[in-house]
């Protein structure tokens, strides 16, 4: 569940200033923002720096002490290409807060992994401590990537898929939204739609968050962009399931059924990751996301044919109304060591052209 810093969209009218207020250090191809908060969110200053310097294709690097945690939106951003979480530790030096690799300063690239002539570079000491042993990190993060395709329409109101997914999975509607953190504006689909219309034809990205103190907290970016035939909404949501609670499988299946009935799903990809119940991330290894399952909506099923969709290497389950059938492919039932390769095989199958018995597509 990561995205490219250079793709974070904002309206920037002027060229990058020589001295941006959030930038503390510069390299030829990177800028460094120093933050010493206990919890570091994707603030308006960081978001503006990403917009300004991302447009110049400069890498964005955020430097924190080892005691800092990142919110999910900033952690996801710094996990992707064109960005880096740099941790400055008095004992271990500088290292990457996502993968633990030791870093060194380079006048061209900014902080980069230390070059090593012999053997592989390994994470700094203590980074790979099993997160599952920590009482602060025994919740489950459910990472969901939902795409919704809309035909062009003046009456379109965005955010319906977001509401259906989060309310079914968590019992709560979104409480707030904003173009950065915190999400201080009360959730309003009409206001979200109006903002995206004003920014068109440029794409828009905003953040959606659940109510404070929710049993299952959630937050994530919602991106809206034009296509040749209409609009594409992409929601990358993180939901925290409290420690001791089972994965909400039935709620997820119900969400897919409702999204299919409302024609609000093209694809849905679901992964899980151990993590903190407050959806913040410490600079240590949390494990790799594990594929849980994926779904395709009625439009892709119709495009490839139901027979092709149901003949996938991962057995599919039909969900939703007969005239708007979605197909769910469970990957959690696969041998964990095979889950990733099963997902790759499934993706290859679904992307391959299907043909009828007479050879016509």
């Amino acid at each position: 569940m990561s995205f490219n810093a250079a793709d974070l969209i904002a309206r920037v009218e002027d060229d990058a200033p020589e001295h941006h207020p959030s930038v503390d250090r510069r390299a030829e191809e990177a800028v460094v923002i120093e933050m010493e908060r206990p919890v570091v969110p994707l603030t308006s200053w960081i978001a503006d720096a990403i917009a300004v310097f991302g447009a110049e294709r400069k890498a964005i690097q955020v430097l924190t002490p080892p005691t800092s945690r990142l919110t999910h939106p900033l952690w996801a951003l710094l996990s992707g290409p064109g960005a880096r979480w740099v941790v400055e530790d008095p004992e271990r030096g500088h290292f990457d807060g996502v993968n633990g690799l030791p870093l060194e300063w380079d006048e061209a690239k900014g902080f980069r992994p230390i070059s090593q002539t012999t053997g592989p570079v390994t994470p700094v000491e203590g980074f790979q401590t099993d997160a599952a042993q920590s009482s602060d990190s025994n919740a489950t993060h459910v990472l969901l990537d939902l795409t919704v395709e809309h035909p062009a329409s003046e009456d379109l109101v965005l955010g319906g898929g977001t509401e259906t997914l989060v309310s079914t999975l968590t019992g709560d509607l979104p409480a707030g939204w904003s173009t950065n953190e915190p999400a201080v504006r009360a959730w309003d689909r009409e206001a979200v739609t109006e903002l995206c219309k004003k920014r068109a034809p440029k794409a828009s990205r905003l953040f959606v968050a659940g109510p404070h103190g929710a049993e299952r907290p959630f937050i994530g970016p919602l991106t809206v962009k034009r296509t040749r035939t209409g609009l594409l909404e992409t929601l990358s949501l993180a939901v925290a399931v409290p420690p001791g609670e089972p994965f909400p499988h039935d709620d997820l299946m119900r969400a897919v059924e409702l999204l299919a009935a409302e024609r609000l799903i093209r694809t849905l990809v679901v992964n899980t990751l151990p993590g903190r119940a407050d959806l913040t991330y410490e600079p240590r290894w949390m494990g790799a996301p594990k594929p849980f399952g994926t779904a395709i909506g009625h439009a892709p099923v119709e495009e490839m044919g139901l027979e092709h969709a149901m003949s996938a290497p991962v057995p599919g389950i039909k969900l939703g109304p007969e005239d708007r059938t979605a197909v769910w492919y469970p990957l959690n039932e696969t041998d964990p060591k095979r889950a990733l390769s099963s997902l790759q095989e499934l993706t290859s199958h679904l992307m391959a052209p299907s043909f009828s018995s007479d050879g016509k597509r």
Side-chain angles (χ1 to χ4, degrees):
M1 186 144 103
S2 63
F3 49 90
N4 191 328
D7 291 336
L8 184 65
I9 303 300
R11 298 177 67 91
V12 180
E13 302 296 342
D14 302 316
D15 292 335
E18 182 65 25
H19 301 289
H20 192 280
S22 68
V23 171
D24 298 282
R25 194 170 180 179
R26 287 174 180 251
E28 293 176 17
E29 301 175 22
V31 294
V32 180
I33 302 168
E34 298 180 6
M35 302 293 289
E36 295 189 4
R37 299 183 181 188
V39 177
V40 184
L42 182 54
T43 64
S44 58
W45 276 25
I46 295 177
D48 185 66
I50 289 168
V52 171
F53 296 105
E56 294 187 345
R57 299 296 171 182
K58 290 184 181 291
I60 304 298
Q61 302 182 346
V62 176
L63 185 147
T64 75
T67 52
S68 291
R69 306 193 310 273
L70 304 188
T71 62
H72 177 78
L74 185 57
W75 177 83
L77 180 107
L78 297 180
S79 299
R84 188 183 301 280
W85 179 10
V86 181
V87 179
E88 185 175 53
D89 189 297
E91 298 179 357
R92 296 178 289 178
H94 295 94
F95 65 91
D96 190 302
V98 176
N99 59 36
L101 296 181
L103 304 173
E104 61 185 359
W105 178 256
D106 179 85
E107 291 296 337
K109 301 292 185 180
F111 285 99
R112 68 174 187 180
I114 290 177
S115 303
Q116 189 164 324
T117 55
T118 59
V121 179
T122 58
V124 296
E125 182 180 356
F127 184 82
Q128 290 182 311
T129 300
D130 188 2
Q133 301 301 315
S134 170
S135 59
D136 289 333
S137 302
N138 55 7
T140 299
H141 290 183
V142 184
L143 310 177
L144 308 106
D145 290 285
L146 171 70
T147 63
V148 184
E149 198 166 38
H150 303 282
S153 170
E154 285 295 323
D155 300 327
L156 174 63
V157 180
L158 301 169
T162 297
E163 286 193 347
T164 296
L165 184 60
V166 301
S167 62
T168 310
L169 273 181
T170 73
D172 292 304
L173 286 171
W177 71 282
S178 185
T179 53
N180 51 261
E181 292 185 274
V184 295
R185 301 180 65 177
W187 174 250
D188 184 325
R189 290 176 58 191
E190 285 76 14
V192 168
T193 303
E194 186 61 28
L195 173 74
C196 294
K197 282 183 177 180
K198 286 181 179 179
R199 288 185 169 181
K202 293 182 178 180
S204 294
R205 177 174 281 125
L206 53 98
F207 296 93
V208 179
H212 179 72
E215 183 179 345
R216 294 178 183 172
F218 61 87
I219 192 168
L222 175 65
T223 304
V224 179
K225 64 180 181 180
R226 282 190 178 181
T227 66
R228 287 179 298 174
T229 57
L231 287 177
L232 182 70
E233 278 187 273
T234 303
L235 174 68
S236 296
L237 191 74
V239 178
V241 178
E245 270 196 28
F247 184 95
H249 179 272
D250 291 347
D251 293 339
L252 179 61
M253 295 301 97
R254 178 61 177 157
V256 174
E257 289 180 333
L258 291 174
L259 290 167
E262 297 165 1
R263 300 185 185 274
L264 291 175
I265 176 173
R266 182 169 180 85
T267 61
L268 176 66
V269 178
V270 184
N271 293 278
T272 62
L273 184 71
R276 294 174 56 96
D278 61 3
L279 283 176
T280 63
Y281 295 81
E282 299 166 297
R284 61 174 172 162
W285 179 244
M286 301 302 297
K290 296 180 180 179
F292 187 85
T294 188
I296 55 174
H298 173 66
V301 169
E302 191 173 57
E303 290 164 8
M304 70 180 67
L306 182 59
E307 182 179 352
H308 185 75
M310 296 303 291
S311 66
V314 177
I317 301 169
K318 292 193 293 184
L319 295 172
E322 285 295 324
D323 62 339
R324 279 159 282 173
T325 298
V327 180
W328 167 256
Y329 301 97
L331 292 162
N332 60 308
E333 299 172 6
T334 305
D335 178 351
K337 296 180 180 179
R338 281 271 304 154
L340 186 57
S341 60
S342 294
L343 175 60
Q344 292 169 341
E345 292 169 6
L346 171 63
T347 302
S348 296
H349 175 86
L350 296 179
M351 293 181 66
S354 56
F355 299 90
S356 62
S357 58
D358 61 2
K360 295 180 179 179
R361 193 173 189 282

